[in-house]
Amino acid sequence: MAGVETQVGAVMGEHHADDGAAGDRRFGALALWVPTLFLGIGLFGPLAVAACDLPKLNRSALGDQAAVLRAVLLRTTAFAAAAALVATAGGWVVALALEQFPPRVRRAMLVLSLLPIVFHFVLRTFGLHVLLGPGGVVNSALVQAELVREPLPLTYSAWGTMLALVSWLLSVSVFYMYLAARHVPRDLVDAAASLGAGPVATLRAVWLPLTAPAAVMLYAINFALGYGTYMSPELLGGLEDITVVRLIAQLLREGRSPEAVAFATLATAFPVALFVLLGRIRRALARRGE
Amino acid sequence: MTARTVERGLTHFLGLAAVVVVLVFLLAPVVVVLPLAVTDQTFLGLPSGRPTGRWFANLNRAEWRQALGTSLVLATVSAGLAVGLAALAAFKVAVWPAARSSRWLRGLVVGVLIVPPVWIAAGYFRIVGEGGAALLILPHTLLALPTAFACLWYGMSRLDPALYDAARMLGAGPLRTLVQVYLPATWNYVLAAFFVAFLASWDESVFALLTTGPKTHTLPKLAFESMRLDRDLTVAAANVVIGVVLAVALARLLRHVDR
């Protein structure tokens, strides 16, 4: 805080003529509108342009494909929901487990868990191929141990998509939950211990309730990311495991932009609704934690 | 041995086991693929070929040099812009957390994560067609913004709110308070935000694949094409070189953020 005081001291004496409340309002508006304007140009602009194709949509053609679209939506939701659950639970467990180690060990393990993100996702996915392919490490070990007769279809399958998604989401989940765990007041943990609570009771009474809101938010983020990702299902998914984004990309490649945009709009409503719902649950849990 | 000691030992063991399982799961794909950078095999499998430096030599080829340079410049510029925008948004949300506009802004920035990038890319394609690398700055900044914002918001919301009032009472305007008080006080989060924004752009491939022409390469795009079509493992060599630098930066950064 000494540095902060120096900074505050550095601006001492340089009084501005502007009246405080008006300055706050002006800057508040600037801080609101500059990012909003950027999002307007960078996000909503392209979405609106893409939506211009909607009037060209052949509704009967879309209606004919309703069963296919429903199946793709359900499959993608199942992939994203399951991968988000595994990644969030994994991140939560590891973050809480790290709390029992000394700071140096904890930091080293955190660096190791984040290490994969500095390497390209494409490269990591090909690493998963080496591990999980028909002649890969996992299948060779399973066949040699005579646990299975033939290699399991772990790549170009639903399993491949799931494993790639979890591998992609897990590193950042560990970090996010780690920050949430660091936020838990230490005096509450000490108080629980001094009142005779063991590790399990402290986990149940302090750690879980106070980190649950972050876990709920993380689940929503992981779901949205898993739902909208292109690379994991493209590189490790099977032909019959097509997801929403693969279908949109395929429709775009075939020049069927109106159908792609209509389907994308329909598909995005789902994670948006989940985000709003989980946001409410997170706030309710946070209020209860307070 | 008391029941409490057994409970403590058991939770310690289970915690350690969970951490080890997750670390093995996360690190195994990297550990098996990176050694391919120094073997002469041209197929994806456990490293078994003879040692060679050919993939590192390939980094000197024009397309790889261009891809590496483009990705580095793109990631640096996009991360800089994303951190600037994220700093403004995070300051607004941290200083006036109860304001309706702050909640709205927070939802809007985080909401970028919800929209599938391929849909946004379809819109960009309609606007610019197959463009050059410079046109990727806008979408890369957009994709990097939510993570940079989350870092800075986390850092700024941990500061004592009285700091803002103190700076204002001492005569600093809000912009000066942001630049001379809030950003220096959260410099480790600023670095973390730049780092995660850099990685978001560094690893982005959907926009590069869908909205750039065949002559424009970023590293992930070239990696995707070369490994998928040609079984060219130069990307493993590129990742060894850059990954080591980024890993050292990550370790140093976490030391500061963890304090």
Side-chain angles (χ1 to χ4, degrees), chain A residues 161-270:
Chain A
T161 305
M162 270 291 297
L163 287 165
L165 279 177
V166 173
S167 160
W168 176 51
L169 297 171
L170 191 53
S171 281
V172 181
S173 297
V174 170
F175 186 56
Y176 185 90
M177 289 312 297
Y178 177 82
L179 290 181
R182 296 268 83 203
H183 234 46
V184 171
R186 300 295 115 165
D187 47 357
L188 285 181
V189 180
D190 296 341
S194 67
L195 288 169
V200 176
T202 310
L203 181 74
R204 231 177 22 214
V206 180
W207 290 108
L208 291 182
L210 292 181
T211 50
V216 170
M217 212 53 232
L218 177 65
Y219 182 83
I221 291 171
N222 278 343
F223 178 88
L225 290 174
Y227 194 87
T229 187
Y230 174 70
M231 277 297 166
S232 312
E234 178 68 16
L235 291 173
L236 274 166
L239 283 175
E240 68 277 15
D241 301 309
I242 196 154
T243 58
V244 165
V245 177
R246 278 177 83 188
L247 183 60
I248 295 170
Q250 191 180 316
L251 290 170
L252 287 172
R253 273 196 298 266
E254 290 169 5
R256 293 158 67 188
S257 177
E259 280 130 300
V261 174
F263 187 48
T265 313
L266 185 73
T268 306
F270 213 78

Side-chain angles (χ1 to χ4, degrees), chain B residues 168-256:
Chain B
R168 295 289 280 131
M169 275 162 57
L170 291 168
L175 181 61
R176 180 168 275 208
T177 307
L178 168 64
V179 175
Q180 293 195 347
V181 180
Y182 266 63
L183 290 182
T186 55
W187 68 271
N188 44 358
Y189 292 96
V190 176
L191 284 180
F194 184 86
F195 189 74
V196 293
F198 183 94
L199 286 180
S201 165
W202 178 246
D203 208 11
E204 199 290 317
S205 45
V206 172
F207 279 89
L209 283 166
L210 293 179
T211 67
T212 59
K215 285 186 182 161
T216 305
H217 290 300
T218 64
L219 211 49
K221 181 186 175 188
L222 195 57
F224 180 77
E225 288 168 349
S226 65
M227 282 187 86
R228 205 172 196 206
L229 305 174
D230 312 329
R231 292 292 189 240
D232 178 344
L233 296 170
T234 310
V235 65
N239 269 273
V240 168
V241 175
I242 307 291
V244 168
V245 177
L246 290 174
V248 172
L250 173 74
R252 293 188 73 87
L253 198 64
L254 281 178
R255 216 169 58 196
H256 292 298

Side-chain angles (χ1 to χ4, degrees), chain A residues 11 14 20 24 42 53 178, chain B residues 124 126 164 168 176 180 258:
Chain A
V11 294
E14 294 184 38
D24 281 353
D53 279 341
Y178 177 82
Chain B
Y124 275 94
R126 279 290 311 271
Y164 179 78
R168 295 289 280 131
R176 180 168 275 208
Q180 293 195 347
D258 197 34

Side-chain angles (χ1 to χ4, degrees), chain B residues 1-76:
Chain B
M1 195 184 283
T2 63
R4 184 57 45 81
T5 316
V6 173
E7 185 188 335
R8 191 157 290 136
L10 199 63
T11 48
H12 196 83
F13 171 76
L14 288 175
L16 183 64
V19 173
V20 170
V21 167
V22 167
L23 286 183
V24 168
F25 177 71
L26 287 173
L27 292 172
V30 178
V31 170
V32 295
V33 85
L34 279 184
L36 297 179
V38 289
T39 65
D40 65 352
Q41 73 191 58
T42 51
F43 59 91
L44 282 170
L46 282 178
S48 58
R50 284 175 306 181
T52 178
R54 70 187 263 213
W55 306 122
F56 284 95
N58 275 357
L59 287 174
N60 249 336
R61 287 206 323 238
E63 82 228 44
W64 283 98
R65 273 214 316 269
Q66 185 219 349
L68 194 61
T70 303
S71 279
L72 279 173
V73 171
L74 203 56
T76 308

